[in-house]
Every structure is written in structure tokens, then in C-alpha cells.
Amino acid sequence: MNIVVIGTGYVGLVTGVALSEIGHDVCCIDIDADKVAKLKKAISPIYEPGIEALIEKNIEAGRLSFSTDLKAAVADSSVVYLAVGTPQKQDGSANLDYIEAAAANIAQSIVQDTIVVVKSTVPVGTNRYLKEFIQNQTPYRISIVSNPEFLREGVAVHDVFHGDRIVLGADDTAALEKLEMINQGFQIPIFKTALESAEMIKYASNAFLATKISFINEIANICEKAGGDIREVSAGMGMDSRIGSAFLQAGIGYGGSCFPKDTLALNHIAKNVGYDFGLIQSVIDANKVQQLKLVKVLKTHYSNLVGKQIALLGVAFKPETDDIREAASEVIIEELLRCGAKVSIFDPVASANMKAVFGNAIHVADTISEVLYQADAALVVTEWNEIKNIQLAEFTSQMSHPVVLDGRLVFDKSEMKQAGISYYSVGTGELEINEPVYI
């Protein structure tokens, strides 16, 4: 099957590469000529483990190509995947400018009846609107299929081949059957729905997972005051098959390109239909507070942060990605700088992206030893393996004051105490002051 994918961002690129891997001939389209030129050389514009090897493999096999020419690409294809960004507006609603522009290009380029498969996350009702929008600009018959993605950054290559389900939403039976055939190679259960249901499944799924995260973070905050170790509480809860252990890891909130945007968008959708979605608003509010949890604890230890050297261990919103969108690290850095602190950061892959945001206001360290050197406190923000494997002697030997605030529950509290490190981790009690033991 000849397939065109519009957009080579996170969703579009992973989708296009995966479709080629299961045997389809795929042409990925992007308006950025420099990005396309790099992709032709198997250089990925996104950091995603394993993606470049698959790009190279399928280019060499003749199943995957990249271009800026949509008209040439659709000449031999009746299936076009739409995977452009839908960033949030200031009011929380989804910005559909990019998807409308791409839809207009599809209408002007196709030369036959076409199935448009929407991978982009869009508000309920958007796919039905897009069908009419495109159909009004072309004599060819348009069918729309909503096919939301459920990829996790950092493990997207695994997820695309080992997903729980593939959701296909459409009112056109023939289009659904064709998409079912296209996706058979993934050998993943296919769930077919109406257009609006598929759109809502995406938002509802992400909002539920965000709710789970905010809930366990609130429980962690109660544990700190009432007693109990959140790690034990989470483990005990997760053993209940009705609850499950996924997304029950307490920390400093969710971030990234999906959960913050989708919770806000769902809240906006609810408002548009006259429903007060108080629960999701509480989830959003709780997450904003949780992102500054480490700074709040730090201020209980240092009443004045002016001139204090603070090290951030990790800035990506999660490990195995360079994505800093809506990351807790950005909020933390802003507050630390506002309080007059000096900020140094270390991240295996995302430091450059954060440097682009803050410029010379922060220092980027190349090594863990460098970021810890003379620091008055270290904040664990991202649970990279490099950070989880820090030898505790690094803290006592490099830092001016070995104070570690653990936002991802990376270290063992008793081991930190034994090493003489003043230590706090979310949901396990207050900052415990310990004196370093120098040998």
C-alpha cells in the first residue's frame, strides 16, 4: 500500500517509519526542506532511541522516502495520514491552524478519492469538520478516519509495535476496513468506533493518566504530614488489579507535549458544551503546585536563596527524550532565578534545549561532577540512569553542602543518611539533615 504521511514531527515520523517497517511504501512530507534533507540521510529531527536505525533500514529497503512535494507524493496514493501539531492556545483550546493548512493542501493536491487518516490530537468534532472542509475544495470523495496515537516519548519505537490497541474512528465502513487492513501488520487489537468516540478516547485516556499522577502526588503530600512512605503506599495500591501500578509513581508532576495540553483541551471542550469539569481542573491545579514542590522544600532549608548555587540533575520532562515542553525543570529554574539563585544543569541530551530558553542565565555542565561542584543543593528532576547511578560520594566530595532534594525517588533514604547527605524525597517525610562523614 502506498501511503503519504504529512508531518515529520514526533507522531508523523514514528508513524511513517513504523508503517514502512511493516511493509508499506511510505512517503513522509514536510515543508521544512532542511529537515527533509537530513531525514534522507537518516538523521532524525527528534531524539528517540532506535528511530534512526529504522529510518536507515527502510530507506535502504526502498519503502521509506521523504519529500517536500505533496502533489507528487499523493499522485500514487489514496491514503494520506495527517500528523501535524495542534498546540494549545492561551485559553487552553487546541490551535487548528496547522491542521487546516495541511487539509487545504490535501484538497488542492489529490487526484483521486482519498482516505485522510488524522493522527493529530484534535477536539471532539474536528474530524467531521475537516471532512467537510476538504470536501468543499475538491471534486474527489473524501473519507476521514480518526486514528489517535498513544506513543510514549522515549519508548515510542517499542510502543508503536507493542501497543494495547489501535483506535480507528469513522462513519465510512469501507474506509475502516481499508485502515484495518493497513494496520494488520502491527498485530495489535483494533478497536473501531465513531469519529467522535475516537477523538474523545485520546483525551479521556491522557486525562485519566494525568489524574492518576496528580492523585498519587497528593497522597504523597499527605504521607509527608501524616506518616507513611509513598513508595510503599503506591506499591500496595498497585497490587490491586482494579487500580494497577502504572502511573502511580509520585514525583514533581507530569509534563511533556501531551498530558498538559490534553487536560487543558479537555477542560476547554467541557466548557464549550456547558459542563463544569471540576475534577480535571483540580488535576491541572495540583500539577502546577507539585512542579514547584522541590523549591518549596528548598526554601525551608535556605531562607534566602540569593547567591546559592543550585544544581539540577536532569531537565527533560522524562528520561530518554530531549523534550522539555511543560517540564517541571523550566518552572523550577524560573523560580530559582527569580529568587536570586545561581543555576547549573546537567542532562544527557536536553541541556541544549533548556539553554536555548534561558541563555546565559544558567550554566550547562558537561558532567555530573561539574554540575555538583560547589553546589549548595542538588535537585533530582529527571530519573536518567546516569543520575540514578550517581555514587553517593560524589555528593559529599563535590558539593559545598550535600543537600539532595529528590523529586523522582531515585535514592535510598537510609543510604543517604549513612553517607551523611541531607536528603528529602517526595512523599517520605521532611528534609532530614545529616552531617557528611569525611574519610
PDB file of all heavy atoms in Angstrom, residues 312-328:
ATOM      1  N   LEU A 312      20.681  21.260  39.050  1.00  0.00           N
ATOM      2  CA  LEU A 312      19.540  20.471  38.577  1.00  0.00           C
ATOM      3  C   LEU A 312      20.056  19.225  37.871  1.00  0.00           C
ATOM      4  O   LEU A 312      20.807  19.326  36.890  1.00  0.00           O
ATOM      5  CB  LEU A 312      18.657  21.275  37.625  1.00  0.00           C
ATOM      6  CG  LEU A 312      17.407  21.907  38.250  1.00  0.00           C
ATOM      7  CD1 LEU A 312      17.825  22.983  39.252  1.00  0.00           C
ATOM      8  CD2 LEU A 312      16.496  22.493  37.176  1.00  0.00           C
ATOM      9  N   LEU A 313      19.664  18.084  38.388  1.00  0.00           N
ATOM     10  CA  LEU A 313      20.047  16.813  37.786  1.00  0.00           C
ATOM     11  C   LEU A 313      18.914  16.358  36.880  1.00  0.00           C
ATOM     12  O   LEU A 313      17.917  15.799  37.322  1.00  0.00           O
ATOM     13  CB  LEU A 313      20.331  15.780  38.876  1.00  0.00           C
ATOM     14  CG  LEU A 313      21.504  16.123  39.805  1.00  0.00           C
ATOM     15  CD1 LEU A 313      21.572  15.158  40.976  1.00  0.00           C
ATOM     16  CD2 LEU A 313      22.813  16.129  39.033  1.00  0.00           C
ATOM     17  N   GLY A 314      19.059  16.644  35.593  1.00  0.00           N
ATOM     18  CA  GLY A 314      18.041  16.339  34.602  1.00  0.00           C
ATOM     19  C   GLY A 314      17.123  17.519  34.363  1.00  0.00           C
ATOM     20  O   GLY A 314      16.721  18.206  35.314  1.00  0.00           O
ATOM     21  N   VAL A 315      16.795  17.763  33.094  1.00  0.00           N
ATOM     22  CA  VAL A 315      15.834  18.825  32.766  1.00  0.00           C
ATOM     23  C   VAL A 315      14.757  18.351  31.793  1.00  0.00           C
ATOM     24  O   VAL A 315      13.720  18.993  31.655  1.00  0.00           O
ATOM     25  CB  VAL A 315      16.529  20.089  32.197  1.00  0.00           C
ATOM     26  CG1 VAL A 315      17.396  20.744  33.262  1.00  0.00           C
ATOM     27  CG2 VAL A 315      17.334  19.775  30.936  1.00  0.00           C
ATOM     28  N   ALA A 316      14.986  17.223  31.100  1.00  0.00           N
ATOM     29  CA  ALA A 316      13.943  16.683  30.221  1.00  0.00           C
ATOM     30  C   ALA A 316      12.733  16.296  31.064  1.00  0.00           C
ATOM     31  O   ALA A 316      12.866  15.951  32.237  1.00  0.00           O
ATOM     32  CB  ALA A 316      14.466  15.460  29.469  1.00  0.00           C
ATOM     33  N   PHE A 317      11.537  16.325  30.473  1.00  0.00           N
ATOM     34  CA  PHE A 317      10.349  16.041  31.277  1.00  0.00           C
ATOM     35  C   PHE A 317      10.289  14.578  31.707  1.00  0.00           C
ATOM     36  O   PHE A 317       9.598  14.231  32.659  1.00  0.00           O
ATOM     37  CB  PHE A 317       9.070  16.454  30.527  1.00  0.00           C
ATOM     38  CG  PHE A 317       8.473  15.399  29.645  1.00  0.00           C
ATOM     39  CD1 PHE A 317       7.474  14.559  30.118  1.00  0.00           C
ATOM     40  CD2 PHE A 317       8.896  15.253  28.324  1.00  0.00           C
ATOM     41  CE1 PHE A 317       6.916  13.591  29.301  1.00  0.00           C
ATOM     42  CE2 PHE A 317       8.332  14.287  27.505  1.00  0.00           C
ATOM     43  CZ  PHE A 317       7.338  13.449  27.999  1.00  0.00           C
ATOM     44  N   LYS A 318      11.062  13.724  31.020  1.00  0.00           N
ATOM     45  CA  LYS A 318      11.180  12.318  31.390  1.00  0.00           C
ATOM     46  C   LYS A 318      12.463  11.783  30.771  1.00  0.00           C
ATOM     47  O   LYS A 318      13.038  12.417  29.871  1.00  0.00           O
ATOM     48  CB  LYS A 318       9.968  11.506  30.905  1.00  0.00           C
ATOM     49  CG  LYS A 318       9.795  11.495  29.394  1.00  0.00           C
ATOM     50  CD  LYS A 318       8.631  10.639  28.952  1.00  0.00           C
ATOM     51  CE  LYS A 318       8.900   9.171  29.147  1.00  0.00           C
ATOM     52  NZ  LYS A 318       7.851   8.324  28.529  1.00  0.00           N
ATOM     53  N   PRO A 319      12.954  10.613  31.212  1.00  0.00           N
ATOM     54  CA  PRO A 319      14.178  10.071  30.627  1.00  0.00           C
ATOM     55  C   PRO A 319      13.977   9.637  29.171  1.00  0.00           C
ATOM     56  O   PRO A 319      12.853   9.433  28.711  1.00  0.00           O
ATOM     57  CB  PRO A 319      14.472   8.844  31.512  1.00  0.00           C
ATOM     58  CG  PRO A 319      13.650   9.015  32.739  1.00  0.00           C
ATOM     59  CD  PRO A 319      12.453   9.796  32.331  1.00  0.00           C
ATOM     60  N   GLU A 320      15.092   9.500  28.472  1.00  0.00           N
ATOM     61  CA  GLU A 320      15.143   9.013  27.085  1.00  0.00           C
ATOM     62  C   GLU A 320      14.452   9.936  26.085  1.00  0.00           C
ATOM     63  O   GLU A 320      13.901   9.500  25.077  1.00  0.00           O
ATOM     64  CB  GLU A 320      14.554   7.595  26.975  1.00  0.00           C
ATOM     65  CG  GLU A 320      15.256   6.558  27.836  1.00  0.00           C
ATOM     66  CD  GLU A 320      16.736   6.437  27.531  1.00  0.00           C
ATOM     67  OE1 GLU A 320      17.138   6.680  26.376  1.00  0.00           O
ATOM     68  OE2 GLU A 320      17.492   6.122  28.469  1.00  0.00           O
ATOM     69  N   THR A 321      14.447  11.223  26.391  1.00  0.00           N
ATOM     70  CA  THR A 321      13.940  12.214  25.440  1.00  0.00           C
ATOM     71  C   THR A 321      14.654  13.532  25.694  1.00  0.00           C
ATOM     72  O   THR A 321      15.143  13.777  26.807  1.00  0.00           O
ATOM     73  CB  THR A 321      12.411  12.412  25.581  1.00  0.00           C
ATOM     74  OG1 THR A 321      11.972  13.394  24.641  1.00  0.00           O
ATOM     75  CG2 THR A 321      12.040  12.882  26.979  1.00  0.00           C
ATOM     76  N   ASP A 322      14.710  14.380  24.662  1.00  0.00           N
ATOM     77  CA  ASP A 322      15.259  15.721  24.844  1.00  0.00           C
ATOM     78  C   ASP A 322      14.157  16.757  24.964  1.00  0.00           C
ATOM     79  O   ASP A 322      14.396  17.964  24.904  1.00  0.00           O
ATOM     80  CB  ASP A 322      16.203  16.080  23.691  1.00  0.00           C
ATOM     81  CG  ASP A 322      15.496  16.127  22.341  1.00  0.00           C
ATOM     82  OD1 ASP A 322      14.310  15.743  22.258  1.00  0.00           O
ATOM     83  OD2 ASP A 322      16.131  16.545  21.350  1.00  0.00           O
ATOM     84  N   ASP A 323      12.928  16.301  25.165  1.00  0.00           N
ATOM     85  CA  ASP A 323      11.763  17.168  25.209  1.00  0.00           C
ATOM     86  C   ASP A 323      11.666  17.880  26.556  1.00  0.00           C
ATOM     87  O   ASP A 323      11.643  17.235  27.611  1.00  0.00           O
ATOM     88  CB  ASP A 323      10.497  16.328  24.977  1.00  0.00           C
ATOM     89  CG  ASP A 323       9.293  17.173  24.605  1.00  0.00           C
ATOM     90  OD1 ASP A 323       9.340  18.406  24.792  1.00  0.00           O
ATOM     91  OD2 ASP A 323       8.293  16.599  24.116  1.00  0.00           O
ATOM     92  N   ILE A 324      11.597  19.202  26.528  1.00  0.00           N
ATOM     93  CA  ILE A 324      11.449  19.976  27.760  1.00  0.00           C
ATOM     94  C   ILE A 324      10.107  20.695  27.804  1.00  0.00           C
ATOM     95  O   ILE A 324       9.872  21.519  28.699  1.00  0.00           O
ATOM     96  CB  ILE A 324      12.590  21.002  27.930  1.00  0.00           C
ATOM     97  CG1 ILE A 324      12.578  22.007  26.767  1.00  0.00           C
ATOM     98  CG2 ILE A 324      13.945  20.303  28.032  1.00  0.00           C
ATOM     99  CD1 ILE A 324      13.479  23.210  26.993  1.00  0.00           C
ATOM    100  N   ARG A 325       9.220  20.385  26.880  1.00  0.00           N
ATOM    101  CA  ARG A 325       7.916  21.052  26.860  1.00  0.00           C
ATOM    102  C   ARG A 325       7.139  20.776  28.142  1.00  0.00           C
ATOM    103  O   ARG A 325       6.953  19.631  28.524  1.00  0.00           O
ATOM    104  CB  ARG A 325       7.110  20.606  25.646  1.00  0.00           C
ATOM    105  CG  ARG A 325       7.595  21.179  24.337  1.00  0.00           C
ATOM    106  CD  ARG A 325       6.851  20.625  23.148  1.00  0.00           C
ATOM    107  NE  ARG A 325       7.178  19.231  22.880  1.00  0.00           N
ATOM    108  CZ  ARG A 325       6.657  18.514  21.883  1.00  0.00           C
ATOM    109  NH1 ARG A 325       5.760  19.062  21.073  1.00  0.00           N
ATOM    110  NH2 ARG A 325       7.030  17.258  21.708  1.00  0.00           N
ATOM    111  N   GLU A 326       6.713  21.845  28.796  1.00  0.00           N
ATOM    112  CA  GLU A 326       5.928  21.765  30.037  1.00  0.00           C
ATOM    113  C   GLU A 326       6.652  20.984  31.128  1.00  0.00           C
ATOM    114  O   GLU A 326       6.023  20.447  32.044  1.00  0.00           O
ATOM    115  CB  GLU A 326       4.561  21.114  29.764  1.00  0.00           C
ATOM    116  CG  GLU A 326       3.714  21.821  28.724  1.00  0.00           C
ATOM    117  CD  GLU A 326       3.254  23.190  29.164  1.00  0.00           C
ATOM    118  OE1 GLU A 326       3.136  23.418  30.383  1.00  0.00           O
ATOM    119  OE2 GLU A 326       3.010  24.046  28.290  1.00  0.00           O
ATOM    120  N   ALA A 327       7.969  20.922  31.055  1.00  0.00           N
ATOM    121  CA  ALA A 327       8.743  20.183  32.053  1.00  0.00           C
ATOM    122  C   ALA A 327       8.788  20.945  33.370  1.00  0.00           C
ATOM    123  O   ALA A 327       8.839  22.179  33.390  1.00  0.00           O
ATOM    124  CB  ALA A 327      10.163  19.939  31.548  1.00  0.00           C
ATOM    125  N   ALA A 328       8.795  20.198  34.473  1.00  0.00           N
ATOM    126  CA  ALA A 328       8.903  20.826  35.789  1.00  0.00           C
ATOM    127  C   ALA A 328      10.197  21.622  35.904  1.00  0.00           C
ATOM    128  O   ALA A 328      10.251  22.648  36.593  1.00  0.00           O
ATOM    129  CB  ALA A 328       8.845  19.759  36.874  1.00  0.00           C
TER     130      ALA A 328
END
